[in-house]
Amino acid sequence: TLFPYTTLFRSTIISVLMLIIPLVGSAEESEGWTFRFSPYGWLMAVSGDMTVNGITADMDSTISEGLENMRIAGMGRFEAWNGDWGLTLDGLYSDSKADESLDTAAGPIKITTWSELLIVEFGGGYRPVIIPLGEETGPAVIVFDLLAGGRYAYNKNEIKGSGGRLDISGSGDWVTPYLGGRVGIRASEMWSFILRGDIGGFGLGDGPHFIWNIIGSIDLRVSRLISLDLAYRSLDINGSTVDARYYGPVLGATFHF
C-alpha cells in the first residue's frame, strides 16, 4: 500500500470528523474566518464489484438493500473560509455486510461479503469571482470556487462461503490528488443551488486508475445559523480491488458560525 493504515489513525479521523455535502453557503462578504459544519446521510446504492486475492464478488445493491446491509456509518464535512481562500475536510466511514447465493459444481453455497470503507478528503479552495444577479446589493449571486487537494481511502473486504469452503480477506489504502470546481447560485436569502465536480486518481501510486465525483444540492437557509440540504451524489472509483459507482440522495444540515 501507499501509506500504512493504523488503528490509531482511523480512530483519530473518525472521532474528529466523519464524511459530504459540499456547500457554497451564503457567500456573505464577511471579514475574518467563517466556518461551516455539515453532518449528513448518504442513502447509497452501489453498482460494481470488488476483488479479493483474485476472487471477484458482485457489489450491486439498491438503496434499500444498502440500508439493510449497513452496520455502521458516519459522514460529515467541515469548511473554513477567510476571504477568497478556504480549507475543506470531508470524511465518510461505512461498514456493511451482504449475503448472496453462488452456484458451484458442488452445489449452491451462501456467500457473505463484508466491506469496510473510509474516505477522508482534505484540501483547499479559491474563490476567484462572485457575480451579483440583479442589484449589486441584493442577495442573489453566483459564486465560483476552484478546489484541489487529496483523498485518503482505506478499504477492507472479506468473502466467506458457507461450510468453510471459502474464506478470504484483503485490505489496502491509498492517497490520490483531486482537482475540481464548484458553482453556487444563491437565488434568495433562503434558497441556494450548488453543483460540484472533481476528478482524481490519475493512476498514481497504488490508488485507483481514475475517480470522478459529482454532487448537486439544494440548500434551504432556515435561520442565520442553520440550513437544510438535499443533494444527489455519484462517486465512481475505478481501481484494481474496487471498480464501482456509489450513488444516491444525500440528506443533511449545515451549521454556520
Side-chain angles (χ1 to χ4, degrees), residues 24 26 44 55 68 79 88 96 114 133-134 171 217 223 242:
V24 173
S26 57
M44 187 190 304
I55 303 296
E68 181 180 350
E79 294 196 13
T88 63
S96 60
W114 286 268
L133 298 176
S171 63
S217 63
S223 72
V242 174

Side-chain angles (χ1 to χ4, degrees), residues 24-225:
V24 173
S26 57
E28 291 103 348
E29 293 292 335
S30 59
E31 297 181 358
W33 287 96
T34 60
F35 306 94
R36 297 193 293 273
F37 174 63
S38 306
Y40 62 89
W42 187 6
L43 306 181
M44 187 190 304
V46 183
S47 176
D49 53 57
M50 66 178 180
T51 301
V52 181
N53 296 336
I55 303 296
T56 299
D58 186 5
M59 294 177 61
D60 292 356
S61 67
T62 64
I63 292 176
S64 60
E65 290 171 337
L67 291 174
E68 181 180 350
N69 296 336
M70 190 68 65
R71 298 196 295 181
I72 186 173
M75 308 165 192
R77 182 173 182 87
F78 176 79
E79 294 196 13
W81 286 83
N82 189 343
D84 297 331
W85 296 92
L87 299 172
T88 63
L89 181 64
D90 199 311
L92 177 152
Y93 177 80
S94 68
D95 187 338
S96 60
K97 174 185 175 182
D99 296 315
E100 64 176 302
S101 180
L102 178 65
D103 292 327
T104 68
I109 62 173
K110 178 183 177 182
I111 301 294
T112 300
T113 60
W114 286 268
S115 182
E116 183 181 13
L117 178 65
L118 169 69
I119 302 177
V120 178
E121 174 192 302
F122 49 91
Y126 173 64
R127 185 163 293 162
V129 62
I130 299 177
I131 302 175
L133 298 176
E135 299 180 4
E136 291 191 3
T137 58
V141 295
I142 300 179
V143 181
F144 294 92
D145 294 336
L146 301 177
L147 305 172
R151 283 191 182 93
Y152 173 86
Y154 170 80
N155 185 226
K156 179 181 179 181
N157 299 305
E158 297 182 37
I159 305 175
K160 292 187 178 182
S162 58
R165 284 178 281 182
L166 184 64
D167 189 353
I168 58 175
S169 64
S171 63
D173 61 351
W174 42 262
V175 175
T176 61
Y178 72 84
L179 297 172
R182 186 169 61 184
V183 58
I185 301 175
R186 188 177 70 180
S188 66
E189 293 286 357
M190 295 182 62
W191 293 98
S192 297
F193 306 91
I194 303 100
L195 179 65
R196 172 199 165 149
D198 64 75
I199 58 174
F202 311 115
L204 299 178
D206 293 335
H209 311 304
F210 186 73
I211 301 172
W212 64 266
N213 175 55
I214 187 167
I215 308 169
S217 63
I218 300 174
D219 174 23
L220 173 61
R221 193 71 173 260
V222 296
S223 72
R224 187 176 64 87
L225 298 178

